[in-house]
Amino acid sequence: MKIYDNVYQHVVLQLPAEAFKGLLEKIRDDKENEMTLLKHKIQKYEEKRRTEAALYQSMSPIRKFFSSRPPSHHQAVEYLVHVKERLKKIAIIKQQLLEINRLLEQETAQECLELPSPFIHELLAYHEQLGDQI
């Protein structure tokens, strides 16, 4: 199977169909693991934030007065970094997984296949990393 770059229209990689399928499955598994890791990090941050809020609410009014609490704009930036950006990464990974699943379901008996450049770069990186293991 020949893999073409859809921008430059040249052969980037030539693999047997089974090796290509194995490479796609490995990429899909790694993407799914990355997505679950990001979800776990989001849950961990939200749990930490909830426990800190509960601890602050349980304090006496005098202790609340003397305790230092981060300003609301700092909390907003923390939320952006720990939750929003990770949710955006998860959405991108879901789109990539849809593309990978589409390629896996597609007829692999094709002689040539055109793929976008970013996906080809990732495919080449995995191919170099795995080498003859596929």
Side-chain angles (χ1 to χ4, degrees):
M1 171 179 286
K2 294 180 183 178
I3 300 171
Y4 286 91
D5 188 347
N6 69 350
V7 176
Y8 300 111
Q9 297 297 320
H10 68 280
V11 177
V12 178
L13 191 62
Q14 192 166 358
L15 289 171
E18 291 303 316
F20 179 68
K21 188 175 181 179
L23 195 59
L24 285 178
E25 289 172 353
K26 173 69 175 150
I27 292 172
R28 181 183 62 191
D29 292 342
D30 286 350
K31 293 285 183 188
E32 288 173 350
N33 289 339
E34 183 181 355
M35 192 168 60
T36 56
L37 180 67
L38 288 171
K39 286 180 181 179
H40 179 68
K41 285 181 180 180
I42 290 171
Q43 289 174 349
K44 207 170 178 183
Y45 168 75
E46 289 178 343
E47 182 180 312
K48 177 185 161 213
R49 192 177 51 120
R50 280 193 302 270
T51 56
E52 287 174 355
L55 178 66
Y56 184 78
Q57 292 301 321
S58 68
M59 289 182 181
S60 67
I62 294 174
R63 285 193 73 169
K64 282 183 185 178
F65 180 75
F66 289 112
S67 71
S68 62
R69 192 168 188 198
S72 62
H73 64 279
H74 285 234
Q75 291 174 346
V77 170
E78 274 185 13
Y79 182 80
L80 282 174
V81 170
H82 292 287
V83 177
K84 285 281 195 163
E85 289 181 4
R86 289 178 179 162
L87 287 175
K88 287 179 185 177
K89 285 180 186 177
I90 288 173
I92 290 170
I93 290 172
K94 283 183 181 179
Q95 289 297 322
Q96 292 171 345
L97 283 173
L98 286 173
E99 179 68 22
I100 290 171
N101 287 334
R102 185 189 62 79
L103 286 172
L104 283 171
E105 291 173 358
Q106 194 176 22
E107 183 64 36
T108 56
Q110 293 179 351
E111 192 171 311
C112 59
L113 189 63
E114 248 184 58
L115 296 176
S117 293
F119 190 72
I120 286 179
H121 292 299
E122 188 172 355
L123 195 65
L124 288 172
Y126 272 91
H127 182 60
E128 289 174 6
Q129 177 186 4
L130 294 176
D132 295 330
Q133 294 176 5
I134 44 176

